[in-house]
Amino acid sequence: MDNFDPSAERCVLAALFQYGSDVYYEIADFISPECFLDGTNLSIFIVLQNLIEEKKHTKIDRVSFNTVCGELGYNFLLNDKNERKHLEALIETNIEFSSARTWAGKLRKLQIGRLLAQKLEQAQRNIESITGNEKIEEILGLAENPIFDFTQLLYTGRTNEPELLGSTINDFIEFKQQNPCTVVGIPTGYKYYDKYIGGGLRRKTVGLIGAR
């Protein structure tokens, strides 16, 4: 199947089992159930998402996972021998925390590719149905409009309705308070500078110094 990477799906799920909410909130801004094509992996992600978002679990334990499987109607994950074997393999797989976002990003890009392919196929069908009586602008619009509309699909969970900025800031602050970052940066030797950039220099960040 095109635009499908089962290995990436397994790595994301394994990371969620291993790190729980810590890794989930690192990838939740762009990954969704629609990123998973394999039915079993999709079901597992939905269960994990429910545990973290609805049940407020920070770590994934097997008892809670089994309970939510029953609540959501995914008992086949526990009753089928092959599904249990797949589940055990995910739980036992070790994934580096820093790689989880990369694997999740790959799934998101594959999903974007699938969505774009659907839009282009629709555009082709529209173009093939022209009669010759259309204006040039209308014909060009058959190709352009699906691409312009497609950009709206790139924002997971977004709608066209106005949104209040900072509406979820309290949840984010509470999460940070309950899960303080234990990774500190490399000290620069400047006490106050280190303090205000979060403990020192970190990967993939830029620190600026201003003066007047």
Side-chain angles (χ1 to χ4, degrees):
M1 182 181 296
D2 295 336
N3 297 332
F4 174 50
D5 189 341
S7 296
E9 292 188 3
R10 290 193 294 268
C11 286
V12 170
L13 295 176
L16 288 170
F17 273 114
Q18 189 172 351
Y19 301 107
S21 61
D22 287 345
V23 80
Y24 177 78
Y25 287 110
E26 285 289 324
I27 64 178
D29 57 329
F30 58 85
I31 199 169
S32 66
E34 290 75 18
C35 292
F36 294 83
L37 277 188
D38 181 84
T40 296
N41 291 337
L42 169 61
S43 300
I44 293 173
F45 178 79
I46 292 175
V47 173
L48 294 173
Q49 186 180 51
N50 182 276
L51 277 169
I52 295 170
E53 289 195 354
E54 303 298 329
K55 308 297 185 183
K56 305 302 181 183
H57 283 230
T58 57
K59 300 295 182 181
I60 306 300
D61 64 270
R62 189 60 184 271
V63 174
S64 298
F65 182 88
N66 293 352
T67 300
V68 173
C69 280
E71 292 177 355
L72 299 181
Y74 294 143
N75 283 321
F76 74 94
L77 294 173
L78 311 175
N79 298 332
D80 185 273
K81 180 180 178 180
N82 291 329
E83 303 295 359
R84 290 201 307 271
K85 184 177 180 181
H86 176 65
L87 189 60
E88 292 296 338
L90 292 175
I91 295 174
E92 294 175 1
T93 299
N94 291 319
I95 299 292
E96 289 189 12
F97 186 94
S98 59
S99 69
R101 192 171 176 88
T102 301
W103 289 114
K106 185 172 185 179
L107 291 185
R108 176 59 173 157
K109 292 173 186 176
L110 290 173
Q111 184 207 15
I112 290 173
R114 295 193 296 270
L115 293 173
L116 181 58
Q118 294 172 7
K119 287 292 183 179
L120 293 177
E121 289 175 1
Q122 181 61 52
Q124 182 176 350
R125 288 193 292 269
N126 293 339
I127 293 172
E128 291 173 349
S129 66
I130 65 174
T131 63
N133 297 320
E134 298 84 358
K135 296 179 181 180
I136 295 297
E137 294 82 3
E138 294 175 342
I139 297 175
L140 293 177
L142 294 176
E144 293 175 345
N145 292 338
I147 301 302
F148 293 147
D149 294 341
F150 172 72
T151 59
Q152 298 296 321
L153 299 176
L154 299 183
Y155 301 94
T156 303
R158 295 288 182 87
T159 67
N160 291 326
E161 298 297 325
E163 296 181 7
L164 179 65
L165 293 177
S167 60
T168 60
I169 189 64
N170 290 333
D171 292 336
F172 179 75
I173 292 175
E174 182 181 353
F175 170 76
K176 286 298 184 181
Q177 289 175 337
Q178 296 176 356
N179 302 274
C181 181
T182 57
V183 180
V184 297
I186 300 175
T188 63
Y190 297 95
K191 177 181 177 180
Y192 292 106
Y193 181 65
D194 287 342
K195 175 183 178 181
Y196 289 112
I197 64 173
L201 302 176
R202 303 183 182 213
R203 295 177 63 248
K204 301 180 180 180
T205 61
V206 176
L208 299 179
I209 300 177
R212 64 177 182 176

